[in-house]
Amino acid sequence: MKEKLFIFSAPSGAGKSTIVQNLMNQNLGLEFSISATSREPREGEKDGREYHFITPEKFRRMIKEDAFIEWEEVYPDQFYGTLYSEVELIWKRGKHAIFDIDVVGGLNLKKKYGEQACAIFIQAPSQEVLEQRLRSRGPDDETSLQKRLGKAMFEMSHKSRFDHIVVNDSLEQALAEAEKIVLDFLNL
Ligand code: ADP
Ligand code: 5GP
């Protein structure tokens, strides 16, 4: 079995975590690649589950040690990155890696892994719906919300570089579409 990567990217709030979490429960042999970040955990988030939460200093040190396949300073002093060690362990366990990652990170992974990777862009039905979803998810403050919305415009302009685009209007439909893309890529 050749190990695969499933890259789900989208502007924050479009619903990629919801879709990725659902796919993980479908017994498709997928394992979530837990990124490292230096942002603070949100309520309900647990170290080693959603992210490996580390300090900006430790993050910088690990960049120097070449621990990351890709990394970004998404917002000032808020680093996010994919660890080589994480993906290697997933493959060693005979699983395919699934990523919930921003657009630039997703495209960097696709560039690196080419045909081994399936890159999927998740799109909210409109900018208004995206904002509503971000607000309902909370508890980001207004400044952080505006930063995320600003970044969304930039991210939308890159959607055509992905292998697939899934519009997340009806969640049920988006989940079915995403599952079909995964099954097709695995030739199942
Ligand atoms: P992302 O991971 O892209 O930032 P999330 O998966 O956290 O987005 O979704 C943002 C919010 O929108 C969450 O509160 C989630 O429950 C909600 N949501 C996701 N998909 C839908 C949908 N199709 N319809 C309505 N709400 C949704
Ligand atoms: P959040 O703070 O909402 O969890 O994530 C902020 C953004 O960082 C999201 O778009 C998320 O997908 C992205 N992100 C998460 N992990 C990684 C990663 O490993 N690398 C990169 N480049 N972005 C990531």
Side-chain angles (χ1 to χ4, degrees), residues 126-156:
S126 67
Q127 185 74 6
E128 290 72 32
V129 172
L130 183 74
E131 184 166 345
Q132 260 170 30
R133 286 185 190 164
L134 277 175
R135 287 189 188 281
S136 70
R137 183 179 66 185
D140 296 323
D141 57 34
E142 190 61 29
T143 316
S144 143
L145 193 104
Q146 291 304 329
K147 274 196 296 192
R148 285 171 197 272
L149 287 172
K151 189 170 170 238
M153 304 293 274
F154 163 79
E155 295 192 309
M156 285 290 286

Side-chain angles (χ1 to χ4, degrees), residues 66-78:
D66 239 350
F68 295 105
I69 304 175
E70 63 76 38
W71 62 270
E72 275 181 85
E73 191 171 5
V74 175
Y75 310 106
D77 243 12
Q78 282 192 28

Side-chain angles (χ1 to χ4, degrees), residues 10-19 100 133 136-137 168-171:
S12 194
K16 62 188 177 308
S17 307
T18 308
I19 291 173
D100 170 343
R133 286 185 190 164
S136 70
R137 183 179 66 185
N168 180 19
D169 189 356
S170 143
L171 181 59

